């Protein structure tokens, strides 16, 4: 059965996914250039992400969508198990957002430019001025009434276990007094771990658990530290024991 699934990936899924990725990038670029950045910068990627999961025949389980209110800005923070996290969040979160992503992703042909046109934020720490520009761009997205999605670990785990959270997203949420939504991702480490990026996808269920928003109760360092730790604890407790 494993070899049948691998053959399916090579002969059917991979060619279709490459075509879908190219078309999604082009549609996003053209739509955003035509002036519909808010719509075209998000919904084509939702369709693309669901298509990726379905073509790879991955079972998806989502909980907690009822906690998210339409029209409310949030900072979504999620653990980062593997490459499939992006498709799971884009396809099944059910709330428009923009990513804070690694600067290196801008170099991906078509995809990088589409992300730039869609106003996703490339995190740049090469200099103080570049860092300040990253923060300014993220602040602008939130002030426009949209939401941000962040992997506060900063990178994918190498072991499946959740790592330490950086505070950048929590600082922004504190400054603008925006709710933080912890999101637990489970299963993507089994599907495609960081240590095997050039590999076949392994069929395994994916879980996306959207937790209740953590509302700001104050402002300043104490509240930032409290909400950072609270989000970490909530996500961690929803993971299997081996990944805590």
């Amino acid at each position: 059965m494993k070899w049948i699934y691998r053959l399916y990936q090579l002969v059917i899924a991979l060619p279709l996914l490459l075509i879908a990725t190219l078309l999604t990038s082009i549609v996003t670029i053209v739509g955003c250039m035509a002036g519909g950045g808010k719509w075209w910068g998000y919904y084509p990627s939702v369709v693309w992400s669901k298509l990726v999961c379905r073509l790879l025949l991955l079972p998806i389980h989502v909980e907690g969508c009822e906690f998210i209110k339409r029209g409310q800005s949030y900072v979504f923070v999620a653990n980062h198990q593997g490459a499939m996290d992006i498709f799971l969040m884009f396809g099944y979160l059910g709330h428009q957002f923009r990513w804070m992503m690694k600067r290196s992703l801008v170099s991906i042909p078509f995809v990088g430019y589409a992300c730039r046109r869609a106003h996703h934020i490339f995190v740049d720490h090469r200099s103080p001025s570049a860092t300040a520009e990253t923060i300014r761009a993220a602040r602008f997205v939130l002030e426009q009434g949209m939401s941000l999605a962040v992997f506060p670990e900063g990178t994918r785990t190498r072991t499946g276990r959740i790592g330490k959270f950086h505070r950048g997203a929590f600082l922004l949420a504190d400054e603008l007094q925006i709710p933080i939504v912890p999101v637990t991702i489970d299963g993507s480490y089994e599907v495609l771990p960081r240590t095997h990026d050039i590999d076949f996808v392994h069929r395994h269920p994916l879980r996306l658990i959207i937790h209740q928003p953590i509302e700001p109760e104050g402002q300043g360092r104490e509240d930032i530290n409290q909400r950072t730790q609270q989000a970490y604890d909530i996500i961690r407790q929803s993971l299997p024991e081996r990944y805590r």
Side-chain angles (χ1 to χ4, degrees):
M1 192 68 181
K2 180 177 73 174
W3 292 104
I4 294 175
Y5 184 46
R6 289 186 171 185
L7 182 62
Y8 164 79
Q9 289 180 53
L10 280 175
V11 176
I12 298 175
L14 180 59
L16 290 176
L17 291 177
L18 289 174
I19 294 170
T21 300
L22 178 60
L23 288 176
T24 301
S25 299
I26 293 172
V27 167
T28 299
I29 292 167
V30 173
C32 291
M33 291 179 68
K38 191 168 184 178
W39 197 95
W40 292 102
Y42 175 69
Y43 288 101
S45 295
V46 172
V47 175
W48 170 62
S49 296
K50 288 184 175 181
L51 180 64
V52 169
C53 294
R54 290 174 182 173
L55 278 174
L56 293 174
L57 309 178
L58 298 173
I60 307 292
H61 176 73
V62 182
E63 316 177 10
C65 291
E66 67 274 12
F67 295 132
I68 306 303
K69 297 179 182 178
R70 179 175 293 184
Q72 169 70 52
S73 291
Y74 297 103
V75 175
F76 295 98
V77 294
N79 60 307
H80 201 2
Q81 282 197 343
M84 291 304 301
D85 298 345
I86 295 170
F87 305 109
L88 192 58
M89 288 278 285
F90 246 146
Y92 298 94
L93 189 60
H95 191 84
Q96 181 161 175
F97 66 87
R98 296 295 182 267
W99 284 108
M100 290 188 72
M101 59 179 65
K102 288 183 177 180
R103 184 179 60 85
S104 58
L105 296 178
V106 74
S107 62
I108 300 175
F110 291 99
V111 173
Y113 186 63
C115 288
R116 186 177 294 280
R117 296 298 312 190
H119 296 294
H120 295 292
I121 299 151
F122 295 99
V123 179
D124 191 345
H125 294 309
R126 290 177 298 174
S127 66
S129 61
T131 300
E133 177 59 25
T134 297
I135 294 171
R136 186 204 65 77
R139 186 185 294 115
F140 176 78
V141 166
L142 291 170
E143 289 173 344
Q144 296 304 303
M146 289 188 287
S147 297
L148 283 179
V150 185
F151 295 124
E153 292 165 276
T155 188
R156 289 168 290 165
T157 175
R158 292 186 180 275
T159 63
R161 296 174 66 90
I162 187 171
K164 180 182 177 181
F165 280 8
H166 300 291
R167 298 195 310 161
F170 299 91
L171 289 167
L172 272 171
D174 180 72
E175 177 187 337
L176 299 175
Q177 292 291 279
I178 289 173
I180 291 169
V181 180
V183 179
T184 300
I185 294 173
D186 182 41
S188 65
Y189 183 75
E190 283 83 2
V191 173
L192 190 63
R194 181 178 180 180
T195 51
H196 295 87
D197 279 347
I198 303 176
D199 194 5
F200 288 95
V201 167
H202 306 281
R203 193 167 186 269
H204 189 279
L206 293 170
R207 287 196 309 150
L208 184 75
I209 304 173
I210 305 164
H211 301 279
Q212 292 191 40
I214 304 172
E215 301 287 344
E217 296 181 356
Q219 194 166 23
R221 179 178 297 179
E222 184 177 343
D223 193 62
I224 293 167
N225 292 340
Q226 179 180 334
R227 289 211 285 170
T228 302
Q229 188 63 50
Q230 190 175 353
Y232 177 87
D233 291 341
I234 289 170
I235 293 171
R236 183 175 178 272
Q237 289 302 315
S238 297
L239 290 167
E241 183 66 36
R242 66 186 181 277
Y243 293 144
R244 293 181 183 176

